[in-house]
Amino acid sequence: MSALRLLKTREMVLLSICFTYTGLELTFFSGVYGTMIGNMDHLEGYTHGVFKKNMVALGGVIVGAGEILGGLTFGVLGSRTIKYGRDPVVIFGMLVHLATFYVCYLNFLPSSPYQTVSPDELLADNNRLFNPSVAVAQVCAFTLGLGDSMFNTQIYGIIAALYSEDSAPAFAVFKFFQSLFS
């Protein structure tokens, strides 16, 4: 019941926008992104068969590496990074994600989330800035994890600071919105 009361406050309504975003981007990097890698048979540096499945798994591992680096940088060393406030970390995370989503848009064809991309589709798309690449896909995987960790470490810190007396309802609202949109 206290979570519902908390949801009516101005602070929590504004935070719920960020909670919603974390759910959406969690869906992208944990569900859609691996599928996009797996459906691109013609990435530069890509071969068929087992290697294709390994690239999908490696993408997940690299997302995790980005999460770990970001968690260490902005969580464990938070006393040094918080000196300038939480805003620069969140803004940097947003910029990292915007750049990553744009590069993903450039690296993958629009049909890659839901079907295997044929060589004909790749050749028909002659407006590409560069050919799809495994290296670019893995760098994007890393920055997806890094940006996510920036958001999550700051959300945890904000909730702990704003609701230090009773943080359980605030975390419940956070997990509700994140799960609802993931």
Side-chain angles (χ1 to χ4, degrees):
M1 196 57 136
S2 58
L4 292 176
R5 277 195 304 270
L6 190 60
L7 192 53
K8 295 177 185 177
T9 65
R10 180 179 184 272
E11 292 84 8
M12 192 53 74
V13 168
L14 292 174
L15 281 171
S16 68
I17 296 167
C18 192
F19 301 162
T20 299
Y21 173 76
T22 64
L24 293 172
E25 57 99 11
L26 175 66
T27 298
F28 180 75
F29 77 73
S30 66
V32 176
Y33 194 69
T35 304
M36 290 169 65
I37 292 173
N39 282 341
M40 291 297 290
D41 278 343
H42 297 85
L43 288 170
E44 284 184 10
Y46 215 41
T47 59
H48 298 286
V50 175
F51 186 70
K52 179 178 172 178
K53 292 178 183 175
N54 291 345
M55 290 285 64
V56 173
L58 184 60
V61 170
I62 293 174
V63 167
E67 293 268 3
I68 291 168
L69 180 67
L72 287 173
T73 304
F74 300 106
V76 174
L77 303 175
S79 60
R80 292 186 182 183
T81 59
I82 200 67
K83 166 171 50 172
Y84 303 106
R86 297 190 189 282
D87 294 346
V89 176
V90 172
I91 290 169
F92 184 60
M94 179 191 67
L95 293 174
V96 165
H97 268 174
L98 285 175
T100 301
F101 292 138
Y102 181 66
V103 172
C104 286
Y105 172 76
L106 295 176
N107 196 44
F108 296 100
L109 292 178
S111 61
S112 65
Y114 53 88
Q115 70 184 25
T116 301
V117 176
S118 70
D120 296 334
E121 283 182 90
L122 192 58
L123 291 173
D125 189 7
N126 56 3
N127 294 326
R128 302 197 63 76
L129 293 177
F130 56 88
N131 288 331
S133 163
V134 170
V136 171
Q138 302 304 5
V139 168
C140 287
F142 181 82
T143 56
L144 283 169
L146 182 66
D148 180 62
S149 69
M150 289 180 203
F151 277 100
N152 282 316
T153 56
Q154 299 313 303
I155 286 172
Y156 288 135
I158 289 168
I159 290 174
L162 288 177
Y163 305 102
S164 59
E165 297 295 318
D166 188 19
S167 62
F171 279 107
V173 171
F174 167 50
K175 286 301 182 183
F176 170 76
F177 276 99
Q178 189 179 47
S179 299
L180 182 66
F181 287 91
S182 65

